[in-house]
Amino acid sequence: TPCRVTVRATAVAVKPAKGDLPAAGALVSIDVDHAIIDTVKKAEDSDALIVRVYEAYGQRGPVSLTFGRKPK
């Protein structure tokens, strides 16, 4: 049975900010090839950030996450 997810998108107009942006960036990155960042979301019951990571290719080992900005 197919799974159907409906999400309402909201567009918000904002004023341009001053300053330079990096050519590339990421909210969060991982330092190994055998693990995948699956989900990054705000917790429903707090201001915590949830990062779901899974190991791929049958490999295990430590990983380090690097955030583009310090999480609040």
Side-chain angles (χ1 to χ4, degrees):
T1 307
C3 177
R4 185 174 184 176
V5 178
T6 303
V7 178
R8 292 183 179 167
T10 303
V12 179
V14 296
K15 294 180 182 178
K18 294 183 179 182
D20 296 326
L21 292 174
L27 174 65
V28 61
S29 59
I30 199 163
D31 68 338
V32 294
D33 292 333
H34 67 272
I36 310 265
I37 297 171
D38 181 59
T39 305
V40 179
K41 68 176 195 168
K42 181 184 171 299
E44 293 178 12
D45 58 353
S46 72
D47 287 335
L49 186 66
I50 296 171
V51 181
R52 290 190 180 131
V53 178
Y54 69 90
E55 60 91 11
Y57 317 117
Q59 299 177 357
R60 294 179 179 252
V63 301
S64 292
L65 300 178
T66 302
F67 290 85
R69 291 185 183 181
K70 183 178 179 180
K72 294 181 179 181

